[in-house]
């Protein structure tokens, strides 16, 4: 694969990055990376580390990725939909976000469930190649080639995910949303991608933006500040709402 390249310095991300290569070896194709690792690869200035790996499995027949990972030598199942797998740099938890064709063909009447399916399917369809390099503390580098979700789908996925997360994870997701939207590189890309989604998905995204960045803006700001976003202020929350709602506004 060819594409962009990102570099992480230090050992903190070694296991999760090596996990991408391990998952590819097990399932026989590059996994579609979402979640924290995907966010960090898309930001101009990554602001945190992540220790878990999230991948999308859009089922179209064949063995489920989760089943393959749990059957691997040395793997341990983790409920509800994860496996801890060994890597050369230690174990890494891999969460598999599975979407079935039926969820796309027969959309749910619930906007949250509907956005969960469409956002992950969008991420799967549009993921692009990124070379992820780690410069270890020993001085020796290594890299993996990955398929990584684009900024627009990442925003759509995280908007939907907030509701179902613990308080701490809600803050992290909301901070990721702010960073992606306001990033000098990822932000314009995300808004351009969001502007192209169909009207139904745009409406579902707008509902979630309105919930977290308009109606619950004070709660969201508090969660963000408790999750490391001390520099984020009310004006930033309002700007995120304006930019995202503008991107998904339809005539």
């Amino acid at each position: 694969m060819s594409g962009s390249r990102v570099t992480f310095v230090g050992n903190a991300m070694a296991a999760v990055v090596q996990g991408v290569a391990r998952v590819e070896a097990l399932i026989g194709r590059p996994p579609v990376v979402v979640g924290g690792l995907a966010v960090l690869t898309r930001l101009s200035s990554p602001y945190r580390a992540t220790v878990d790996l999230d991948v999308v499995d859009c089922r179209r027949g064949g063995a489920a990725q989760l089943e393959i990972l749990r059957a691997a030598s040395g793997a341990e199942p983790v409920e509800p939909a994860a496996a801890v797998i060994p890597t050369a740099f230690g174990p890494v938890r891999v969460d598999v976000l599975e979407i079935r064709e039926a969820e796309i063909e027969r959309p749910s009447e619930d906007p949250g469930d509907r956005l969960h399916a469409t956002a992950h399917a969008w991420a799967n369809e549009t993921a692009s190649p990124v070379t992820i390099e780690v410069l270890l503390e020993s001085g020796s580098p290594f890299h993996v080639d990955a398929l990584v979700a684009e900024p627009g789908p990442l925003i759509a996925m995280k908007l939907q995910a907030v509701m179902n997360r613990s308080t701490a994870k809600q803050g992290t997701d909301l901070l990721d949303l702010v960073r992606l939207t306001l990033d000098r590189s990822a932000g314009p890309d995300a808004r351009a991608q969001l502007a192209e989604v169909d009207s139904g998905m745009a409406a579902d995204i707008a509902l979630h933006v309105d919930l977290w960045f308009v109606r619950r803006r004070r709660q969201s700001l508090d969660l963000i500040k408790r999750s490391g976003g001390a520099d984020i202020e009310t004006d930033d929350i309002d700007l995120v709402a304006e930019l995202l709602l503008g991107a998904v506004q339809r005539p």
Side-chain angles (χ1 to χ4, degrees):
M1 294 186 293
S2 62
S4 60
R5 187 181 190 94
V6 297
T7 301
F8 299 113
V9 178
N11 293 0
M13 300 277 290
V16 70
V17 173
Q18 186 63 37
V20 177
R22 182 74 178 125
V23 171
E24 178 176 356
L26 290 168
I27 68 174
R29 60 187 182 278
V32 173
V33 178
V34 295
L37 181 58
V39 170
L40 296 177
T41 65
R42 294 304 182 186
L43 291 175
S44 300
S45 300
Y47 72 100
R48 64 178 179 90
T50 185
V51 295
D52 297 330
L53 176 62
D54 299 284
V55 300
V56 170
D57 183 11
C58 281
R59 295 290 308 281
R60 292 184 175 88
Q65 291 183 23
L66 181 60
E67 294 176 3
I68 295 172
L69 297 181
R70 287 180 168 179
S73 176
E76 298 179 8
V78 180
E79 297 301 330
V84 174
I85 60 173
T87 78
F89 299 98
V92 63
R93 172 174 169 149
V94 183
D95 286 276
V96 181
L97 305 166
E98 184 179 288
I99 303 297
R100 296 179 180 274
E101 281 191 87
E103 296 178 75
I104 304 300
E105 295 172 355
R106 297 186 292 277
S108 170
E109 294 183 1
D110 179 88
D113 292 343
R114 194 165 56 233
L115 185 59
H116 173 80
T118 56
H120 285 80
W122 184 25
N124 184 74
E125 292 163 3
T126 61
S128 59
V130 177
T131 298
I132 307 175
E133 180 182 50
V134 178
L135 296 180
L136 297 169
E137 293 170 5
S138 64
S140 57
F142 77 92
H143 72 271
V144 300
D145 294 320
L147 285 174
V148 180
E150 289 283 337
L154 283 171
I155 285 176
M157 286 185 289
K158 284 192 167 288
L159 280 168
Q160 184 278 326
V162 177
M163 184 67 75
N164 302 320
R165 306 273 265 175
S166 66
T167 299
K169 291 286 190 179
Q170 284 183 334
T172 301
D173 282 341
L174 289 164
L175 184 53
D176 282 347
L177 285 163
V178 171
R179 300 295 191 204
L180 284 167
T181 304
L182 302 183
D183 187 81
R184 66 179 184 270
S185 177
D189 288 346
R191 295 193 294 276
Q193 292 159 4
L194 291 167
E196 296 297 322
V197 302
D198 65 58
S199 58
M201 187 175 181
D204 289 340
I205 291 170
L207 282 175
H208 287 76
V209 173
D210 180 68
L211 174 62
W212 293 107
F213 292 96
V214 180
R215 287 183 285 154
R216 297 188 182 181
R217 61 199 285 267
R218 291 184 179 179
Q219 176 187 341
S220 293
L221 181 58
D222 180 60
L223 289 168
I224 287 169
K225 285 186 174 296
R226 283 191 277 159
S227 297
D231 60 317
I232 304 301
E233 302 297 341
T234 302
D235 287 349
D236 298 307
I237 300 296
D238 293 342
L239 181 56
V240 168
E242 178 185 343
L243 292 172
L244 293 183
L245 289 174
V248 296
Q249 184 177 11
R250 299 293 183 268

